[in-house]
Amino acid sequence: MKKIAIIGVGLIGGSLALSLKETEATIIGYDLHPEQLSLAQSLGVIDVVASSMEEAVEEADFIFLCTPVNEIHEMVRKLLECPLKEGVIISDTGSTKEMISSIGAQLQEKGVYFIGGHPMAGSHKSGVTAANHRLFENAYYVLTPSDETPEEIVNQLVEILSYTKAQVITMSPSGHDEVVGAISHFPHVIASGLVNLVAKYDQKNPWYQRLAAGGFRDITRIASSNPRMWRDVLLSNREVLLQLMEDWNRLMEDIKESILEGDGLSIESFFEEAKNFRNGLPERKKGALPPLYDLYVDIPDHPGIIGKVTTLLGHHEISLTNIRILEIREDIMGVLRLTFRREEDMERAQQLLISSGYQVHTRE
């Protein structure tokens, strides 16, 4: 029976472990936080608890490093000193690949293989209790093998990852970092920058915060991400981010110039090009940023109506992750926002609420 070591048993590591249980391999877990490990075993996420990383990996056929980016770098260096099974395949789940791949390349001198990996799926929740065996389903799972990695080794990893039901693709480490830098890393910078700008204005006029709901809250939702994690991501992808910032500044200068000159055609073209590209994006595909599974419901303003809606969903075993009454609804129809973890739950809720006479809307 094969042995799979999961190093870092949180949302990603736990979800990977659950999906790989279908391989009938023994899942060995190790985490720097012992309470996470005990919880993972009690929830059936892992089969065996290892007391150290060395113990977890010594007989493993596959090793997945599922910790934050800066910790992955340290763990690969640590693996260079560990006794490992000959031919073991090592991968990670970090969101930057060029730096880790260059460190991982040293492992091949030990007769083992490192292939960078990035499952492009996530959740607003964290920890092993949020682990879900369907987290990666239909998501892209990027692998970044080096030119020296034998094709049969890549195929072995692709085969075992097929149990996640993700769409596994291969890219170069640098190509991955350029694309993900633009569609994931840089948007976090923009969202946080916009929030920080409004926060400064709010110091002089508290209506900024009071009115910053609805659309503003939605487009800046990723600014609520883990600050330490994003510090490490930006530092590990610095060259790409610096180039993106230069390109962004030029774009802002162009639109600024159009406004100064009163060039209505250029301004309209700016928005038209963005609209056309955005409308062509896949709607039902998981990408670098976790999607929002939200419904907006029109409800009358009388006592008990929210409880009636939640009871209706609960009756049909549809789980909600969040519920919010909207005070500001610019560009949003409906007064009640219901958030779901899975697209299937959202679709079932939509059908149920409509059949029960409620007006239900989704965001474009």
Side-chain angles (χ1 to χ4, degrees), residues 172-190:
S172 69
S174 59
H176 166 277
D177 287 359
E178 289 170 4
V179 173
V180 176
I183 64 174
S184 176
H185 304 166
F186 194 50
H188 280 80
V189 176
I190 295 172

Side-chain angles (χ1 to χ4, degrees), residues 98-143:
E98 190 162 21
M99 187 181 294
I100 190 64
S101 294
S102 64
I103 300 171
Q106 301 171 50
L107 285 164
Q108 300 203 180
E109 298 172 10
K110 295 185 63 170
V112 302
Y113 303 96
F114 179 85
I115 300 173
H118 180 199
M120 301 185 73
S123 169
H124 63 289
K125 293 191 174 184
S126 60
V128 70
T129 55
N132 184 337
H133 74 285
R134 300 180 66 181
L135 181 67
F136 309 118
E137 187 173 318
N138 297 322
Y140 283 118
Y141 198 123
V142 183
L143 297 180

Side-chain angles (χ1 to χ4, degrees), residues 223-266:
S224 294
S225 301
N226 185 311
R228 182 171 294 180
M229 180 190 80
W230 282 100
R231 174 199 67 188
D232 296 336
V233 168
L234 264 60
L235 290 176
S236 66
N237 200 20
R238 77 173 74 203
E239 296 304 322
V240 169
L241 267 297
L242 290 172
Q243 183 60 56
L244 284 164
M245 288 176 184
E246 287 187 20
D247 294 343
W248 175 262
N249 288 338
R250 279 195 292 271
L251 185 63
M252 290 298 100
E253 283 298 322
D254 287 346
I255 189 65
K256 177 182 174 182
E257 191 66 26
S258 296
I259 295 170
L260 282 171
E261 294 178 359
D263 187 349
L265 286 176
S266 293

